[in-house]
Amino acid sequence: MAVVGRVVHRAESARLREEFLARFDVVGSTTVVAREMGINRHTAAGWVRQTGRRSQGGSRRHPGRDEYERLRKRGVPRASAARAVGVNVRTAKDWDYGVSKTRNSRTYPDGRRVDYTTGMITVGLPLARVEKVLHERFVSLTERETMADLRRVGISIRKIAEALGRAPSTVSRELARNGDPDGEYRPFAAHRAAAGRRARPKTAKLAVDRPLGDYVAEKLALRWSPEQICHALVEEFPDDPEMRVSHETIYQALYLQARGGLRREVAAALRTGRARRRPRRAPQARTSRFVDPMVMISERPAEVADRAVPGHWEGDLIIGADGGSAIGTLVERATRYVMLVHLPDGRTAEQVRDRLVATMATLPAHLRGSLTWDQGAEM
């Protein structure tokens, strides 16, 4: 029933959208047509934008704007370019700084809007934050529009949830959290409210709590690791919940100096000796150490796995103290016979290969069946 209801709703919405656009082409006003047809004006405005249409009441681009921008790209001064296209220098300055003007207001790139009629200044959000595409688990603007349309005609919360494929609690929480105090739900206002709450910047804990920050700095000076510090806090201050910090918070306080809370000199006390985080790539994203694709151990013939036939070997490399020496080992799987490969000239891939070839060449042909080596870069 939920799928059928969703299909019916989409078909009805598509039909309503086509009727609205046909009427809009005649009237030319989003607000007027939306009021006539009983459609939410925000939803209607979205339909107009999606099709590239423009309302007659909307702002029009100045005919000299393109020529002005072309002159500015050529390096013409602002005053000269403004004079060439016949606009005031202050208008040209607004064009340069991305300020948009209507009859009685100005909107700045950071979302701030100044209304000269009422004298009010509204602090808005950057457009990039509002239009950012999030994970599907978050309610989208399209879902908010659908929610507002269905709510306006009296559809219950459970029916709305079925149409959206969401849990009823998600719809109920969205209406309560982002709805207006008068009980009306406006999708665009709700979407901006949700975008405004998304970023929650706060001061770093080690920068605010100085006793905790001093304790961490003192232990770092003693060459304690961040993980040792976070465990020691629990033991030394068992009854003080404020004296708690995770090792990740300590690392961020050292690496993110702009807002971390610990001095740059303290970072030198880390055992790793690094003052910045080293990126770690996923195993599947790492560059292979081998030019040719490896034949995995699972692909060996059965006779190799059950040790029934001699002539199949396993190899490894033993590295001496401080990497100063190395010796290769070859173990025959059936008889456990061991051969040592002397490496007097080094242990590079070419040197190990040449010595292996020379050592294996001393064996009869029927004892040179296969060699299983580890994934060390020396091979």
Side-chain angles (χ1 to χ4, degrees):
M1 290 298 292
V3 175
V4 174
R6 196 178 311 143
V7 172
V8 171
H9 169 69
R10 288 177 178 173
E12 180 68 16
S13 178
R15 182 190 62 78
L16 193 62
R17 180 176 183 270
E18 294 301 323
E19 292 179 2
F20 167 82
L21 293 176
R23 180 62 178 161
F24 173 83
D25 291 337
V26 177
V27 178
S29 173
T30 303
T31 305
V32 172
V33 179
R35 188 182 299 117
E36 289 179 357
M37 301 182 61
I39 302 173
N40 186 291
R41 63 186 181 88
H42 297 293
T43 302
W47 291 344
V48 172
R49 285 196 305 273
Q50 292 170 3
T51 57
R53 292 173 168 84
R54 178 172 294 186
S55 177
Q56 292 179 357
S59 60
R60 295 179 175 86
R61 186 176 176 87
H62 191 280
R65 180 87 179 257
D66 294 334
E67 176 64 15
Y68 173 82
E69 293 178 351
R70 186 183 66 82
L71 293 174
R72 292 290 285 160
K73 288 181 180 178
R74 288 172 47 191
V76 178
R78 178 185 298 153
S80 301
R83 193 181 309 112
V85 299
V87 298
N88 190 279
V89 177
R90 285 189 291 181
T91 300
K93 184 177 180 181
D94 287 340
W95 288 352
D96 288 341
Y97 286 94
V99 179
S100 61
K101 297 191 298 183
T102 59
R103 185 178 306 171
N104 298 312
S105 66
R106 295 158 63 91
T107 303
Y108 292 83
D110 59 359
R112 182 166 48 93
R113 183 175 180 272
V114 180
D115 191 328
Y116 294 104
T117 303
T118 62
M120 294 182 60
I121 299 178
T122 304
V123 179
L125 296 172
L127 189 61
R129 185 190 299 181
V130 178
E131 296 183 346
K132 183 178 181 181
V133 179
L134 303 177
H135 190 272
E136 59 183 7
R137 70 186 180 89
F138 295 98
V139 180
S140 65
L141 178 57
T142 304
E143 290 177 315
R144 287 189 168 98
E145 291 178 341
T146 304
M147 201 179 301
D149 291 340
L150 296 179
R151 190 65 173 168
R152 178 176 52 82
V153 296
I155 304 299
S156 67
I157 290 179
R158 289 193 175 275
K159 291 296 183 181
I160 296 175
E162 290 181 5
L164 296 176
R166 296 277 187 177
S169 59
T170 301
V171 177
S172 175
R173 186 165 51 248
E174 170 64 25
L175 295 173
R177 179 180 297 176
N178 296 324
D180 292 345
D182 58 3
E184 187 173 355
Y185 180 78
R186 297 178 174 86
F188 281 84
H191 194 68
R192 292 185 65 85
R197 287 196 306 270
R198 193 183 307 147
R200 291 169 289 180
K202 57 183 179 180
T203 308
K205 185 175 184 179
L206 294 178
V208 175
D209 194 337
R210 290 317 310 167
L212 180 61
D214 293 340
Y215 179 90
V216 172
E218 177 186 348
K219 296 304 180 182
L220 286 173
L222 298 176
R223 309 291 289 180
W224 282 32
S225 71
E227 191 165 359
Q228 284 178 314
I229 295 174
C230 70
H231 290 309
L233 283 168
V234 179
E235 296 180 1
E236 294 189 25
F237 305 95
D239 301 324
D240 189 356
E242 297 299 324
M243 295 294 287
R244 298 288 185 272
V245 66
S246 69
H247 64 278
E248 177 61 25
T249 301
I250 298 176
Y251 278 118
Q252 290 189 10
L254 295 172
Y255 294 146
L256 306 179
Q257 288 299 313
R259 58 182 184 276
L262 294 179
R263 302 185 310 275
R264 173 68 68 179
E265 307 84 63
V266 181
L270 285 178
R271 295 174 182 176
T272 60
R274 296 192 301 269
R276 62 181 58 186
R277 192 182 296 276
R278 178 181 295 175
R280 303 287 183 179
R281 289 183 294 179
Q284 60 271 18
R286 295 175 185 167
T287 304
S288 176
R289 294 170 293 177
F290 305 98
V291 177
D292 299 326
M294 291 185 293
V295 179
M296 304 306 294
I297 194 171
S298 58
E299 302 177 26
R300 295 191 303 185
E303 62 182 17
V304 181
D306 60 15
R307 306 175 186 269
V309 180
H312 300 286
W313 302 77
E314 289 185 355
D316 203 350
L317 193 66
I318 302 175
I319 309 298
D322 300 324
S325 61
I327 188 169
T329 62
L330 293 172
V331 181
E332 204 284 313
R333 287 179 56 82
T335 62
R336 303 296 198 275
Y337 179 72
V338 180
M339 298 178 65
L340 300 181
V341 181
H342 188 41
L343 301 170
D345 302 324
R347 54 184 176 89
T348 64
E350 294 77 11
Q351 292 167 339
V352 175
R353 176 200 60 198
D354 295 341
R355 297 302 299 179
L356 279 177
V357 171
T359 302
M360 297 293 287
T362 62
L363 297 171
H366 68 278
L367 291 180
R368 298 197 299 266
S370 68
L371 172 61
T372 302
W373 200 268
D374 64 3
Q375 298 184 19
E378 67 276 0
M379 287 302 294

